[in-house]
Amino acid sequence: MHVLDDFDKQILKKLDQDGRIPYSSIASDLGISNTMVHQRIGRLVEQGIIMGTKPLLNEKKLGYDWGAFTSLSLEKDHNSEHVIEELKKIPEVTECYYITGNYTLYIKLVALDHEHMRHLLYDRIDHIPGISKTESIIELGCAFKRNIIL
């Protein structure tokens, strides 16, 4: 675990509010130098706390009106790496997690409409060698999504 001081936390809060905020604005707001902000952010990136800077896309505005959370049972858990590599080839699979319980993997996928969702589930995902069972829950909308609050 990385120990963050108050400046690190404040910088992360500023970036979470607006990932495009100029470093000079952060420095001015916190009463520190631009150099210190650059160094701190560089260290947070090196430590893997900040994992990149990319836009957060609104899938619904791009036409992907359907979302699902799908649990995957594998024939053998040691097949997970192969299955994950196949899932990465499906652009509509946006997240993949290892989980405990009756399933091995849990994915989030998006689709343009119900036919597209059916195609993804039955023609793409169910045909990946090593998957023995899937169970999906249709997503009706995101109430909120956020980073951990510091």
Side-chain angles (χ1 to χ4, degrees):
M1 183 175 101
H2 301 282
V3 178
L4 302 177
D5 66 15
D6 286 337
F7 285 120
D8 292 330
K9 291 176 184 178
Q10 290 178 51
I11 289 169
L12 289 172
K13 283 179 186 176
K14 293 282 186 190
L15 290 172
D16 190 44
Q17 291 168 357
D18 179 4
R20 299 182 304 163
I21 188 171
Y23 290 179
S24 60
S25 292
I26 296 172
S28 175
D29 290 349
L30 301 181
I32 58 178
S33 70
N34 285 348
T35 302
M36 185 175 175
V37 172
H38 279 273
Q39 289 172 342
R40 294 289 182 121
I41 291 174
R43 185 174 43 80
L44 293 168
V45 169
E46 276 180 25
Q47 293 174 338
I49 293 169
I50 296 176
M51 298 185 346
T53 54
K54 61 182 180 179
L56 181 61
L57 303 178
N58 183 330
E59 295 143 347
K60 303 267 188 226
K61 299 250 183 204
L62 293 171
Y64 290 85
D65 288 332
W66 282 67
F69 297 97
T70 300
S71 303
L72 307 175
S73 282
L74 304 184
E75 292 168 2
K76 296 178 182 172
D77 283 346
H78 70 267
N79 286 343
S80 65
E81 293 307 317
H82 165 74
V83 170
I84 291 167
E85 288 306 311
E86 291 301 310
L87 290 168
K88 285 179 181 178
K89 295 177 185 176
I90 303 171
E92 296 89 348
V93 175
T94 60
E95 299 176 48
C96 181
Y97 299 90
Y98 293 103
I99 59 171
T100 62
N102 295 327
Y103 297 94
T104 305
L105 299 171
Y106 193 70
I107 62 172
K108 167 97 192 299
L109 65 151
V110 296
L112 298 168
D113 54 34
H114 74 279
E115 281 299 315
H116 187 204
M117 182 65 74
R118 185 206 59 74
H119 168 73
L120 290 169
L121 291 170
Y122 296 137
D123 299 336
R124 300 284 310 270
I125 293 169
D126 282 350
H127 284 91
I128 295 174
I131 294 178
S132 63
K133 178 182 172 187
T134 64
E135 184 175 324
S136 296
I137 300 168
I138 299 299
E139 173 247 314
L140 299 175
C142 180
F144 68 89
K145 187 174 184 175
R146 65 178 176 205
N147 288 318
I148 188 71
I149 298 172
L150 300 173

